[in-house]
Amino acid sequence: MDESEALSHRASHARSCALLVAQKLGIKREAVIERIARKTGVDLHEPQSTTELLIALTELESMRLG
């Protein structure tokens, strides 16, 4: 969440987190990314703001803790 990094770079890290969650849940990363998009309206492939990224990460954490 280092705001000195470009949003696209931070989004890449969030997608890596999505991969870890997917592995824990036994599903594909893209399924996690799609679920986040459905629940939050945030596309982790192209988040539009830091706020969107935080919303997506909060949902990822929720999924991880399940």
Side-chain angles (χ1 to χ4, degrees):
M1 293 315 311
D2 182 359
E3 290 193 26
S4 68
E5 297 288 342
L7 184 61
S8 61
H9 184 77
R10 291 182 281 153
S12 174
H13 284 276
R15 289 188 299 274
S16 294
C17 291
L19 176 61
L20 296 173
V21 171
Q23 289 172 338
K24 180 179 184 214
L25 298 176
I27 60 178
K28 294 186 179 202
R29 180 188 79 148
E30 197 57 35
V32 170
I33 291 172
E34 288 172 7
R35 189 180 300 179
I36 289 169
R38 273 194 318 273
K39 287 188 164 190
T40 67
V42 176
D43 179 0
L44 273 180
H45 293 295
E46 292 188 40
Q48 300 300 306
S49 67
T50 297
T51 300
E52 279 195 3
L53 204 50
L54 287 171
I55 290 166
L57 287 170
T58 299
E59 183 60 30
L60 267 174
E61 182 70 3
S62 174
M63 290 174 70
R64 183 182 72 83
L65 296 174

